[in-house]
Amino acid sequence: MSGPKKRVYIKTFGCQMNVADSEQMAQVLAEGFVPTDRPEEADLYLINTCAIRRKAEEKVRSLLGSLQVLKQSRPQLLLGVGGCVAQQEGERLLAAAPHLDLVFGTQGISRLPELVRRAGRGRRLVDIELAPGFPPQPRRHWAPGAIKTLVTIMQGCDNFCSFCVVPYVRGREHSRPPGEIIGEVADFLAAGGKEVTLLGQNVNSYGRGLSEPLTFTELLRRIDALPGLARLRFATSHPRDLSGELMAAFGELPSLCENLHLPVQSGSDRILQAMNRGYTREEYLRKVAKLRRVCPGLSLSTDIIVGFPGETEEDFQETLDLVRQAGFDQAFSFKYSPRPQTRAALLPERVSGEVQAERLGRLQNLLNELTFEAHQRLVGRVREVLVEGTSKRSQEELCGRLRTNQVVNFSGPRELVGQLVQVRLTEAHPHSLRGTQVEDSSITWPLAADPQAPQRRLSC
Ligand code: SAH
Ligand code: SF4
Ligand code: F3S
């Protein structure tokens, strides 16, 4: 492309993987477009979509409908829909929205510049090809001062949980070659970055099909060894494939944060089986107990679906019971939503919307209590905070996260943004904690005796 750069606005829905994909879209388009956060001045408006629940899909359709007005006022505007709904709907989206120029799927990002060029010549296009293998990734660049980043290490999913649309919209599971991943992390660290989150739908099965076989734990070891890495996280782990080797890594790798997202989905064996999850509640709880032995300070988060077809009050009680036993620090909970092509969508015995809402309310009350209790247990302790930014209200008000992932607000100079600082936690709130910076933390860490003490650079 020649001439002055045009402006691209990208609206992102969905999971962290979509956030990473949107960033990649901006990077592949960088030759011709600069990103803008003002949709009304965009020359190219891309919607990166999520199909995980019907509500997510409806949001996209409603935004797309509302953009008809913008398109009428700026006829030169190119409008594209990408991501999981695009992959699922393809031609149907184009047919339903005459003002839409371009539909591109979850693996079409590297082809985006060419698609945009062709759409700019007046062609209406659909590209939802799912190719085998991990697609080529452009070399990434980070804005000065970038603190944390997402690194995609896998694509797709082969698990076919009966409720889940991901295998249909993201295709088969493929692992990214380790050299590319390590190179990308090293580039980020060289640019001054501190925290890396590795992304895949089921990172525990990383390495299958690679020419040089490598387990996920070995990949973590290699990344942990890179100089300058302060914090390493990953998402998501499938409980069935959580290996002893990976659990042990929480006690061994200094950068690996004491924080694990381990979606359980249900506490009832009957429902877990109907979901095709491949583990029982007992197996799940056994793994949680083992993790807590290896790493007593671990914070555990999860995903739970309520009102899966056939779920009775007894099944739901088992979920509540498992939640109490596992002691989650944080959880995301959802009403079951039937998705196209999935096996569960064909099941009879749908749970009514009212019952789903009522169960979700009860579950969320319990989860909120547990999160608040976890925050209260931290009050009085000194913990390492990675300062991620200043608050919207004041430049003197800083915001960061613990290694265990809780949000912490405290007062301090903005020069601390991007730094690791020690903070004494003083107040627990439902969604965050408050604290005060501790200058010399060496005296205040009761390291050896206290299982809740910071684990950085110590065995858990
Ligand atoms: N790969 C991850 C999950 C990705 S989807 C894993 O295996 O855990 C994120 C979450 O959305 C899921 O954990 C599940 O709780 C929820 N979810 C997926 N499909 C859903 C559906 N049809 N209805 C409601 N929630 C759903
Ligand atoms: Fe969906 Fe299951 Fe794959 Fe997670 S593991 S993405 S829930 S099919
Ligand atoms: Fe949604 Fe696709 Fe992620 S369906 S949850 S954006 S993989």
Side-chain angles (χ1 to χ4, degrees), residues 355-384:
V355 172
Q356 283 188 324
E358 194 271 332
R359 286 183 190 162
L360 189 67
R362 272 190 284 159
L363 175 63
Q364 290 186 337
N365 286 341
L366 173 61
L367 293 170
N368 290 340
E369 271 172 38
L370 289 174
T371 301
F372 189 48
E373 280 169 24
H375 289 177
Q376 284 173 318
R377 281 196 300 276
L378 285 165
V379 171
R381 314 221 173 248
V382 175
R383 286 289 188 275
E384 177 197 274

mmCIF file of all heavy atoms in Angstrom, residues 355-384:
data_model
loop_
_atom_site.group_PDB
_atom_site.id
_atom_site.type_symbol
_atom_site.label_atom_id
_atom_site.label_comp_id
_atom_site.label_asym_id
_atom_site.label_seq_id
_atom_site.Cartn_x
_atom_site.Cartn_y
_atom_site.Cartn_z
ATOM 1 N N VAL A 355 -34.917 -21.789 35.809
ATOM 2 C CA VAL A 355 -34.138 -22.639 36.723
ATOM 3 C C VAL A 355 -32.644 -22.335 36.540
ATOM 4 O O VAL A 355 -31.885 -22.225 37.518
ATOM 5 C CB VAL A 355 -34.444 -24.140 36.478
ATOM 6 C CG1 VAL A 355 -33.502 -25.031 37.278
ATOM 7 C CG2 VAL A 355 -35.891 -24.438 36.848
ATOM 8 N N GLN A 356 -32.210 -22.164 35.299
ATOM 9 C CA GLN A 356 -30.796 -21.833 35.058
ATOM 10 C C GLN A 356 -30.426 -20.548 35.794
ATOM 11 O O GLN A 356 -29.392 -20.475 36.459
ATOM 12 C CB GLN A 356 -30.550 -21.618 33.560
ATOM 13 C CG GLN A 356 -30.476 -22.899 32.749
ATOM 14 C CD GLN A 356 -30.040 -22.608 31.322
ATOM 15 O OE1 GLN A 356 -30.405 -21.586 30.744
ATOM 16 N NE2 GLN A 356 -29.248 -23.507 30.755
ATOM 17 N N ALA A 357 -31.303 -19.531 35.682
ATOM 18 C CA ALA A 357 -30.997 -18.228 36.288
ATOM 19 C C ALA A 357 -30.938 -18.348 37.806
ATOM 20 O O ALA A 357 -30.062 -17.779 38.463
ATOM 21 C CB ALA A 357 -32.048 -17.198 35.871
ATOM 22 N N GLU A 358 -31.864 -19.136 38.349
ATOM 23 C CA GLU A 358 -31.913 -19.283 39.803
ATOM 24 C C GLU A 358 -30.659 -20.014 40.303
ATOM 25 O O GLU A 358 -30.034 -19.616 41.290
ATOM 26 C CB GLU A 358 -33.209 -20.044 40.159
ATOM 27 C CG GLU A 358 -33.601 -20.017 41.610
ATOM 28 C CD GLU A 358 -32.969 -21.163 42.366
ATOM 29 O OE1 GLU A 358 -32.691 -22.214 41.759
ATOM 30 O OE2 GLU A 358 -32.734 -21.009 43.578
ATOM 31 N N ARG A 359 -30.250 -21.075 39.592
ATOM 32 C CA ARG A 359 -29.041 -21.811 39.998
ATOM 33 C C ARG A 359 -27.805 -20.933 39.844
ATOM 34 O O ARG A 359 -26.916 -20.941 40.699
ATOM 35 C CB ARG A 359 -28.886 -23.100 39.170
ATOM 36 C CG ARG A 359 -29.879 -24.147 39.596
ATOM 37 C CD ARG A 359 -29.701 -25.467 38.839
ATOM 38 N NE ARG A 359 -30.849 -26.330 39.151
ATOM 39 C CZ ARG A 359 -31.209 -27.386 38.448
ATOM 40 N NH1 ARG A 359 -30.522 -27.736 37.366
ATOM 41 N NH2 ARG A 359 -32.249 -28.106 38.802
ATOM 42 N N LEU A 360 -27.755 -20.199 38.754
ATOM 43 C CA LEU A 360 -26.591 -19.324 38.534
ATOM 44 C C LEU A 360 -26.472 -18.305 39.672
ATOM 45 O O LEU A 360 -25.377 -18.052 40.179
ATOM 46 C CB LEU A 360 -26.709 -18.591 37.186
ATOM 47 C CG LEU A 360 -25.461 -17.820 36.761
ATOM 48 C CD1 LEU A 360 -24.305 -18.767 36.445
ATOM 49 C CD2 LEU A 360 -25.743 -16.946 35.534
ATOM 50 N N GLY A 361 -27.634 -17.766 40.110
ATOM 51 C CA GLY A 361 -27.637 -16.799 41.216
ATOM 52 C C GLY A 361 -27.063 -17.412 42.479
ATOM 53 O O GLY A 361 -26.208 -16.831 43.147
ATOM 54 N N ARG A 362 -27.526 -18.634 42.805
ATOM 55 C CA ARG A 362 -27.041 -19.286 44.028
ATOM 56 C C ARG A 362 -25.542 -19.564 43.939
ATOM 57 O O ARG A 362 -24.793 -19.364 44.877
ATOM 58 C CB ARG A 362 -27.794 -20.607 44.243
ATOM 59 C CG ARG A 362 -29.081 -20.413 45.036
ATOM 60 C CD ARG A 362 -29.658 -21.747 45.442
ATOM 61 N NE ARG A 362 -30.307 -22.437 44.334
ATOM 62 C CZ ARG A 362 -30.549 -23.748 44.287
ATOM 63 N NH1 ARG A 362 -30.176 -24.511 45.299
ATOM 64 N NH2 ARG A 362 -31.167 -24.292 43.254
ATOM 65 N N LEU A 363 -25.128 -20.071 42.761
ATOM 66 C CA LEU A 363 -23.705 -20.382 42.581
ATOM 67 C C LEU A 363 -22.853 -19.113 42.697
ATOM 68 O O LEU A 363 -21.827 -19.099 43.378
ATOM 69 C CB LEU A 363 -23.498 -21.033 41.201
ATOM 70 C CG LEU A 363 -22.048 -21.312 40.805
ATOM 71 C CD1 LEU A 363 -21.395 -22.315 41.753
ATOM 72 C CD2 LEU A 363 -21.957 -21.837 39.366
ATOM 73 N N GLN A 364 -23.323 -18.045 42.061
ATOM 74 C CA GLN A 364 -22.508 -16.825 42.075
ATOM 75 C C GLN A 364 -22.420 -16.228 43.469
ATOM 76 O O GLN A 364 -21.382 -15.670 43.839
ATOM 77 C CB GLN A 364 -23.034 -15.825 41.039
ATOM 78 C CG GLN A 364 -22.730 -16.355 39.634
ATOM 79 C CD GLN A 364 -23.067 -15.412 38.500
ATOM 80 O OE1 GLN A 364 -23.905 -14.524 38.654
ATOM 81 N NE2 GLN A 364 -22.439 -15.628 37.352
ATOM 82 N N ASN A 365 -23.498 -16.363 44.276
ATOM 83 C CA ASN A 365 -23.412 -15.896 45.670
ATOM 84 C C ASN A 365 -22.295 -16.630 46.410
ATOM 85 O O ASN A 365 -21.490 -16.027 47.114
ATOM 86 C CB ASN A 365 -24.737 -16.116 46.409
ATOM 87 C CG ASN A 365 -25.776 -15.108 45.954
ATOM 88 O OD1 ASN A 365 -25.432 -14.070 45.381
ATOM 89 N ND2 ASN A 365 -27.039 -15.416 46.198
ATOM 90 N N LEU A 366 -22.257 -17.956 46.218
ATOM 91 C CA LEU A 366 -21.222 -18.751 46.886
ATOM 92 C C LEU A 366 -19.828 -18.356 46.373
ATOM 93 O O LEU A 366 -18.879 -18.176 47.152
ATOM 94 C CB LEU A 366 -21.488 -20.246 46.644
ATOM 95 C CG LEU A 366 -20.408 -21.209 47.145
ATOM 96 C CD1 LEU A 366 -20.207 -21.098 48.656
ATOM 97 C CD2 LEU A 366 -20.761 -22.658 46.780
ATOM 98 N N LEU A 367 -19.697 -18.224 45.050
ATOM 99 C CA LEU A 367 -18.388 -17.893 44.476
ATOM 100 C C LEU A 367 -17.906 -16.520 44.951
ATOM 101 O O LEU A 367 -16.733 -16.339 45.268
ATOM 102 C CB LEU A 367 -18.448 -17.929 42.939
ATOM 103 C CG LEU A 367 -18.686 -19.323 42.340
ATOM 104 C CD1 LEU A 367 -18.984 -19.222 40.851
ATOM 105 C CD2 LEU A 367 -17.490 -20.238 42.572
ATOM 106 N N ASN A 368 -18.862 -15.556 45.031
ATOM 107 C CA ASN A 368 -18.479 -14.222 45.512
ATOM 108 C C ASN A 368 -17.986 -14.275 46.953
ATOM 109 O O ASN A 368 -17.018 -13.624 47.316
ATOM 110 C CB ASN A 368 -19.662 -13.245 45.416
ATOM 111 C CG ASN A 368 -19.976 -12.922 43.962
ATOM 112 O OD1 ASN A 368 -19.133 -13.116 43.085
ATOM 113 N ND2 ASN A 368 -21.188 -12.448 43.703
ATOM 114 N N GLU A 369 -18.675 -15.106 47.765
ATOM 115 C CA GLU A 369 -18.227 -15.256 49.166
ATOM 116 C C GLU A 369 -16.809 -15.801 49.214
ATOM 117 O O GLU A 369 -15.966 -15.320 49.965
ATOM 118 C CB GLU A 369 -19.118 -16.282 49.892
ATOM 119 C CG GLU A 369 -20.344 -15.711 50.553
ATOM 120 C CD GLU A 369 -21.240 -16.859 51.050
ATOM 121 O OE1 GLU A 369 -20.724 -17.873 51.538
ATOM 122 O OE2 GLU A 369 -22.479 -16.713 50.917
ATOM 123 N N LEU A 370 -16.541 -16.840 48.384
ATOM 124 C CA LEU A 370 -15.212 -17.461 48.409
ATOM 125 C C LEU A 370 -14.139 -16.480 47.960
ATOM 126 O O LEU A 370 -13.046 -16.434 48.534
ATOM 127 C CB LEU A 370 -15.189 -18.710 47.506
ATOM 128 C CG LEU A 370 -15.972 -19.913 48.019
ATOM 129 C CD1 LEU A 370 -15.987 -21.020 46.976
ATOM 130 C CD2 LEU A 370 -15.371 -20.441 49.316
ATOM 131 N N THR A 371 -14.457 -15.687 46.921
ATOM 132 C CA THR A 371 -13.467 -14.720 46.427
ATOM 133 C C THR A 371 -13.175 -13.690 47.520
ATOM 134 O O THR A 371 -12.017 -13.349 47.788
ATOM 135 C CB THR A 371 -13.991 -14.004 45.162
ATOM 136 O OG1 THR A 371 -14.249 -15.000 44.178
ATOM 137 C CG2 THR A 371 -12.991 -13.013 44.614
ATOM 138 N N PHE A 372 -14.242 -13.214 48.178
ATOM 139 C CA PHE A 372 -14.053 -12.208 49.223
ATOM 140 C C PHE A 372 -13.245 -12.793 50.390
ATOM 141 O O PHE A 372 -12.327 -12.158 50.914
ATOM 142 C CB PHE A 372 -15.419 -11.678 49.686
ATOM 143 C CG PHE A 372 -15.311 -10.487 50.592
ATOM 144 C CD1 PHE A 372 -14.499 -9.407 50.278
ATOM 145 C CD2 PHE A 372 -16.027 -10.449 51.777
ATOM 146 C CE1 PHE A 372 -14.394 -8.306 51.130
ATOM 147 C CE2 PHE A 372 -15.928 -9.347 52.639
ATOM 148 C CZ PHE A 372 -15.108 -8.279 52.303
ATOM 149 N N GLU A 373 -13.549 -14.050 50.758
ATOM 150 C CA GLU A 373 -12.781 -14.685 51.840
ATOM 151 C C GLU A 373 -11.313 -14.814 51.469
ATOM 152 O O GLU A 373 -10.431 -14.605 52.299
ATOM 153 C CB GLU A 373 -13.351 -16.085 52.137
ATOM 154 C CG GLU A 373 -14.608 -16.045 53.002
ATOM 155 C CD GLU A 373 -15.296 -17.412 53.059
ATOM 156 O OE1 GLU A 373 -14.626 -18.449 52.847
ATOM 157 O OE2 GLU A 373 -16.507 -17.418 53.312
ATOM 158 N N ALA A 374 -11.057 -15.165 50.194
ATOM 159 C CA ALA A 374 -9.659 -15.292 49.746
ATOM 160 C C ALA A 374 -8.959 -13.938 49.868
ATOM 161 O O ALA A 374 -7.799 -13.861 50.275
ATOM 162 C CB ALA A 374 -9.611 -15.795 48.304
ATOM 163 N N HIS A 375 -9.677 -12.850 49.544
ATOM 164 C CA HIS A 375 -9.100 -11.504 49.684
ATOM 165 C C HIS A 375 -8.841 -11.190 51.158
ATOM 166 O O HIS A 375 -7.798 -10.642 51.511
ATOM 167 C CB HIS A 375 -10.036 -10.456 49.072
ATOM 168 C CG HIS A 375 -10.082 -10.520 47.572
ATOM 169 N ND1 HIS A 375 -10.891 -9.717 46.814
ATOM 170 C CD2 HIS A 375 -9.406 -11.298 46.693
ATOM 171 C CE1 HIS A 375 -10.709 -9.993 45.531
ATOM 172 N NE2 HIS A 375 -9.817 -10.955 45.442
ATOM 173 N N GLN A 376 -9.814 -11.555 52.012
ATOM 174 C CA GLN A 376 -9.648 -11.261 53.449
ATOM 175 C C GLN A 376 -8.435 -11.994 54.029
ATOM 176 O O GLN A 376 -7.728 -11.452 54.868
ATOM 177 C CB GLN A 376 -10.915 -11.648 54.208
ATOM 178 C CG GLN A 376 -12.031 -10.638 53.990
ATOM 179 C CD GLN A 376 -13.340 -11.097 54.609
ATOM 180 O OE1 GLN A 376 -13.709 -12.267 54.507
ATOM 181 N NE2 GLN A 376 -14.031 -10.180 55.243
ATOM 182 N N ARG A 377 -8.193 -13.229 53.544
ATOM 183 C CA ARG A 377 -7.049 -13.989 54.072
ATOM 184 C C ARG A 377 -5.716 -13.309 53.744
ATOM 185 O O ARG A 377 -4.708 -13.547 54.382
ATOM 186 C CB ARG A 377 -7.049 -15.415 53.494
ATOM 187 C CG ARG A 377 -8.029 -16.351 54.186
ATOM 188 C CD ARG A 377 -7.710 -17.818 53.865
ATOM 189 N NE ARG A 377 -7.774 -18.115 52.446
ATOM 190 C CZ ARG A 377 -8.897 -18.420 51.791
ATOM 191 N NH1 ARG A 377 -10.040 -18.478 52.436
ATOM 192 N NH2 ARG A 377 -8.862 -18.679 50.497
ATOM 193 N N LEU A 378 -5.736 -12.477 52.712
ATOM 194 C CA LEU A 378 -4.486 -11.825 52.303
ATOM 195 C C LEU A 378 -4.189 -10.560 53.105
ATOM 196 O O LEU A 378 -3.064 -10.051 53.085
ATOM 197 C CB LEU A 378 -4.565 -11.463 50.808
ATOM 198 C CG LEU A 378 -4.418 -12.633 49.834
ATOM 199 C CD1 LEU A 378 -4.869 -12.229 48.438
ATOM 200 C CD2 LEU A 378 -2.967 -13.107 49.782
ATOM 201 N N VAL A 379 -5.212 -10.050 53.807
ATOM 202 C CA VAL A 379 -5.023 -8.778 54.537
ATOM 203 C C VAL A 379 -3.964 -8.965 55.622
ATOM 204 O O VAL A 379 -3.969 -9.947 56.349
ATOM 205 C CB VAL A 379 -6.364 -8.273 55.122
ATOM 206 C CG1 VAL A 379 -6.144 -7.088 56.064
ATOM 207 C CG2 VAL A 379 -7.306 -7.881 53.991
ATOM 208 N N GLY A 380 -3.034 -8.016 55.682
ATOM 209 C CA GLY A 380 -1.943 -8.086 56.661
ATOM 210 C C GLY A 380 -0.664 -8.656 56.073
ATOM 211 O O GLY A 380 0.407 -8.534 56.651
ATOM 212 N N ARG A 381 -0.764 -9.284 54.892
ATOM 213 C CA ARG A 381 0.419 -9.913 54.290
ATOM 214 C C ARG A 381 1.133 -8.932 53.359
ATOM 215 O O ARG A 381 0.511 -7.999 52.848
ATOM 216 C CB ARG A 381 0.020 -11.139 53.497
ATOM 217 C CG ARG A 381 -0.944 -12.000 54.251
ATOM 218 C CD ARG A 381 -0.624 -13.443 54.095
ATOM 219 N NE ARG A 381 -1.489 -14.197 54.986
ATOM 220 C CZ ARG A 381 -1.058 -14.850 56.045
ATOM 221 N NH1 ARG A 381 0.216 -14.860 56.351
ATOM 222 N NH2 ARG A 381 -1.888 -15.513 56.809
ATOM 223 N N VAL A 382 2.406 -9.207 53.134
ATOM 224 C CA VAL A 382 3.172 -8.418 52.161
ATOM 225 C C VAL A 382 3.358 -9.282 50.920
ATOM 226 O O VAL A 382 3.754 -10.442 51.020
ATOM 227 C CB VAL A 382 4.544 -8.013 52.742
ATOM 228 C CG1 VAL A 382 5.389 -7.304 51.684
ATOM 229 C CG2 VAL A 382 4.343 -7.117 53.948
ATOM 230 N N ARG A 383 3.021 -8.702 49.790
ATOM 231 C CA ARG A 383 3.084 -9.480 48.547
ATOM 232 C C ARG A 383 3.720 -8.650 47.433
ATOM 233 O O ARG A 383 3.649 -7.425 47.443
ATOM 234 C CB ARG A 383 1.671 -9.865 48.081
ATOM 235 C CG ARG A 383 1.015 -10.961 48.881
ATOM 236 C CD ARG A 383 1.684 -12.291 48.590
ATOM 237 N NE ARG A 383 0.965 -13.394 49.197
ATOM 238 C CZ ARG A 383 1.126 -13.807 50.441
ATOM 239 N NH1 ARG A 383 1.972 -13.186 51.223
ATOM 240 N NH2 ARG A 383 0.452 -14.837 50.903
ATOM 241 N N GLU A 384 4.275 -9.364 46.456
ATOM 242 C CA GLU A 384 4.836 -8.702 45.281
ATOM 243 C C GLU A 384 3.710 -8.303 44.318
ATOM 244 O O GLU A 384 2.864 -9.126 43.988
ATOM 245 C CB GLU A 384 5.779 -9.678 44.582
ATOM 246 C CG GLU A 384 6.385 -9.140 43.308
ATOM 247 C CD GLU A 384 6.950 -10.264 42.464
ATOM 248 O OE1 GLU A 384 8.111 -10.651 42.692
ATOM 249 O OE2 GLU A 384 6.228 -10.767 41.571
#
